[in-house]
Amino acid sequence: MNALQRWWWARRHGAGEWAPLFGPAPAGEWVSLDLETTGLDPRRDAILSLAAVPVRGGQVKLGERFETYVHPGRGFDIDSIRHHRITPAEVADAPQLRDVLPRFLRWLGPRTLLGHHLAFDLAMLERPMRTVFGFPLPNRTAELGQAWLDHRRLADPHAHVDLSLDAIAAGLGLPVLARHTALGDASTVALAWLALQRHGRGG
C-alpha cells in the first residue's frame, strides 16, 4: 500500500481499535513475516501457518515472535505436505484465520513489514483482511530481494542476481533456518536484512 492509499484508508478506517495501524511506523524496526500455504494461488489457496519476528536494535527478537498454525477450512494434497511438512492433523484444531487476524494486528501495530516475495504474503492476506476489517494491511513494507539486488548491482551493475532465499543467505554467509517453515523463513529473512544493513543496504 503506497502513501496515498494509506491516507485514503486511514480517512475511512483510521478510528477506533485499529487506528494505531495507520500511524507512523517506528523508526529502525521491522517485522519479518512469512506464511506457509496450501498452494500459490491467493484466489483459491489458504494459509496454514503464520510467523512474524521483530527486528530491532540490530537484533532478531525471536522471543517476541508471533507464531501460529491456521485452520485452512479446506483439504490439501500430498504435494503441499511435501513442501511445508504440515499435515492435516497439525492444523485440525488450529484457529481460523478470522480469529488469528485480530490478535496479529494488535501485536503488529504500525510496524514496517519485511519479507521475501512479500507481495505473495500480502496477496494471501488481502481478501481475508478485507472480509474481516474492510481494509487491507496498511503497513509499510520492505522487500529483502530488492535490497539484495541493489547490494549486488552496486558492485556489478550487469551481474545476474539469484533472488532465491537460499542464494541470498549463502551470499551473506548465513545459515538457512528450517527452510519452508514460516518461523524458519521469517528468521532467515530477518538475519539477512540485518546483514545487508551492515553492508549499508536496507531501509
Side-chain angles (χ1 to χ4, degrees):
M1 184 182 290
N2 62 36
L4 181 60
Q5 291 170 321
R6 193 178 302 110
W7 174 86
W8 187 83
W9 283 107
R11 293 273 294 182
R12 290 191 61 186
H13 300 282
E17 181 178 6
W18 307 115
L21 292 174
F22 297 92
E29 183 169 7
W30 300 265
V31 171
S32 181
L33 172 70
D34 191 76
L35 309 175
E36 293 301 321
T37 64
T38 59
L40 298 176
D41 186 344
R43 297 168 299 175
R44 296 185 307 161
D45 287 303
I47 296 169
L48 294 169
S49 65
L50 181 156
V53 181
V55 181
R56 184 177 67 250
Q59 295 181 324
V60 178
K61 302 291 186 177
L62 197 60
E64 299 177 19
R65 69 187 179 274
F66 185 100
E67 182 185 17
T68 184
Y69 282 130
V70 180
H71 194 292
R74 49 155 289 183
F76 50 99
D77 60 23
I78 189 63
D79 289 335
S80 178
I81 295 169
R82 287 195 185 107
H83 181 73
H84 47 60
R85 301 184 187 88
I86 299 172
T87 66
E90 288 176 299
V91 295
D93 297 322
Q96 300 279 343
L97 187 59
R98 64 175 176 266
D99 298 317
V100 169
L101 285 174
R103 292 193 292 113
F104 176 60
L105 295 192
R106 292 185 192 103
W107 176 89
L108 175 63
R111 292 180 288 184
T112 299
L113 287 168
L114 164 67
H116 181 249
H117 299 311
L118 186 59
F120 170 74
D121 300 294
L122 297 179
M124 289 296 301
L125 288 166
E126 181 167 358
R127 185 178 295 179
M129 279 288 302
R130 288 180 183 271
T131 298
V132 175
F133 304 107
F135 55 85
L137 270 172
N139 301 65
R140 293 158 182 81
T141 60
E143 172 57 48
L144 175 66
Q146 185 62 55
W148 175 244
L149 181 64
D150 293 343
H151 171 67
R152 292 298 305 275
R153 290 275 169 84
L154 192 64
D156 181 355
H158 305 293
H160 169 74
V161 182
D162 186 339
L163 296 177
S164 68
L165 186 55
D166 299 270
I168 294 172
L172 292 167
L174 297 172
V176 176
L177 306 173
R179 190 72 170 102
H180 299 305
T181 67
L183 182 58
D185 286 353
S187 299
T188 301
V189 167
L191 289 170
W193 185 255
L194 286 180
L196 281 172
Q197 281 193 307
R198 295 187 186 105
H199 286 288
R201 309 305 305 173

